[in-house]
């Protein structure tokens, strides 16, 4: 099945990433990652922007109110939902300037996970971490290259994860006591089709994967079979999230980094599609 996409904004981001819908926010938030900005699409279709740090890799709501932003090497917490709420740092997690945070998400029990990568994309320089309650980071997966999409099945028993350089989406078993275990391939994606980037899981368990350099989003059913494709007019598709009042609109972020805008004038825009299946509420963090 082929699904059409349509632009929601002008090309407002150099490297758009990580869309997240939270009803408390009254709209969608995403990041212009390497500009260090958090963007917000309000219900009237207007875009607001807040600069938070050198890098803004991930934004997620907190259970207690407010939100967390993963910056270059630290986690930043806001205690209020407002985009301009004051931010406080949980401290620098490492000192190596060659490594930055990239993508992440939360498990069903509120733990926040964040991946890293080298700026030069050196193989094995990144890690996938989980944040302890005090904000310190514990390694879950060492020696990853470009840690990317992360989300859970509707029943919370499976976690899907992408290290882009592998060309795979992997799946883990999950339980609240033991965390992630049993990593195994879920789907392999041919490099000629694109590289797996951000992902989200819908209410039926389908996994929607953004394809970097692929000009598309793929949906894989619970058995790993490709059953829907969302085409886009730009090649660098970065991430996806369900939003809207009924969580039935698929939002798609894109990048204009190193793109000739005369060839791809809409690169960096936020797109959407109507996939015919709803998503699930975002998993918030207890940080």
């Amino acid at each position: 099945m082929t699904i059409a996409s349509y632009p929601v904004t002008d090309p407002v981001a150099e490297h758009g990433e990580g869309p997240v819908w939270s009803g408390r926010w009254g709209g969608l938030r995403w990041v212009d990652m390497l500009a260090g900005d958090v963007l917000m699409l309000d219900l009237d279709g207007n875009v607001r922007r807040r600069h938070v740090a050198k890098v803004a890799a991930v934004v997620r709501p907190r259970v207690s109110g407010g939100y967390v932003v993963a910056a270059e090497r630290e986690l930043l917490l806001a205690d209020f939902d407002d985009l301009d709420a004051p931010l406080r740092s949980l401290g620098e997690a490492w000192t190596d300037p060659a490594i930055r945070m990239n993508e992440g998400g939360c498990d069903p029990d509120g733990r926040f996970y964040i991946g890293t990568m080298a700026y030069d994309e050196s193989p094995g320089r990144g890690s996938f971490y989980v944040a302890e309650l005090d904000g310190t980071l514990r390694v879950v997966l060492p020696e990853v290259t470009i840690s990317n999409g992360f989300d859970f099945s509707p029943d919370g028993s499976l976690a899907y994860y992408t290290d882009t350089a592998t060309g795979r989406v992997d799946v883990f078993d999950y339980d609240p006591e033991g965390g992630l275990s049993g990593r195994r391939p879920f789907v392999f994606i041919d490099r000629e089709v694109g590289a797996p980037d951000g992902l989200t899981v819908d209410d039926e368990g389908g996994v929607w994967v953004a394809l970097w350099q692929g000009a598309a989003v793929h949906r894989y059913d619970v058995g790993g079979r490709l059953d829907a494709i969302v085409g886009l007019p730009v090649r660098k598709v970065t991430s996806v999230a369900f939003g809207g009042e009924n969580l039935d609109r698929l939002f798609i972020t894109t990048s204009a980094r190193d793109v000739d805008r005369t060839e791809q004038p809409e690169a960096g825009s936020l797109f959407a599609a109507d996939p015919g299946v709803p998503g699930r509420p975002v998993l918030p963090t207890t940080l």
Side-chain angles (χ1 to χ4, degrees), residues 16-21 28 60 103 149-151 197-201 207-211 216-218 230 232 237-243 249-254 270-273:
E17 264 282 9
V20 177
W21 180 278
L28 187 85
R60 284 291 188 280
E103 253 280 22
F150 183 62
D151 200 8
D197 204 317
L199 61 83
T200 192
V201 181
V207 182
W208 298 80
V209 184
L211 296 182
V217 175
H218 282 184
V230 181
L232 288 104
V237 185
T238 57
S239 195
V240 286
F242 283 90
R249 196 178 186 196
L250 186 69
F251 289 97
I252 306 163
T253 50
T254 67
L270 177 72
F271 291 83

Side-chain angles (χ1 to χ4, degrees), residues 8-58:
V8 177
T9 71
D10 292 332
V12 294
E14 179 68 15
H15 186 64
E17 264 282 9
V20 177
W21 180 278
S22 173
R24 293 194 330 227
W25 294 343
L28 187 85
R29 293 185 187 179
W30 71 108
V31 297
D32 191 350
M33 184 179 285
L34 300 177
D37 294 348
V38 178
L39 284 67
M40 177 176 175
L41 180 73
D42 66 25
L43 297 179
D44 295 323
N46 300 311
V47 177
R48 293 175 56 199
R49 177 185 295 265
R50 179 188 181 181
H51 182 70
V52 296
K54 180 181 178 181
V55 169
V58 178

Side-chain angles (χ1 to χ4, degrees), residues 220-262:
Y220 298 91
D221 67 16
V222 293
R225 181 180 67 88
L226 176 64
D227 65 359
I229 297 175
V230 181
L232 288 104
V234 299
R235 295 196 59 78
K236 293 184 173 180
V237 185
T238 57
S239 195
V240 286
F242 283 90
E245 184 177 351
N246 298 311
L247 297 177
D248 56 358
R249 196 178 186 196
L250 186 69
F251 289 97
I252 306 163
T253 50
T254 67
S255 176
R257 192 179 182 201
D258 301 322
V259 168
D260 184 345
R261 286 187 184 268
T262 63

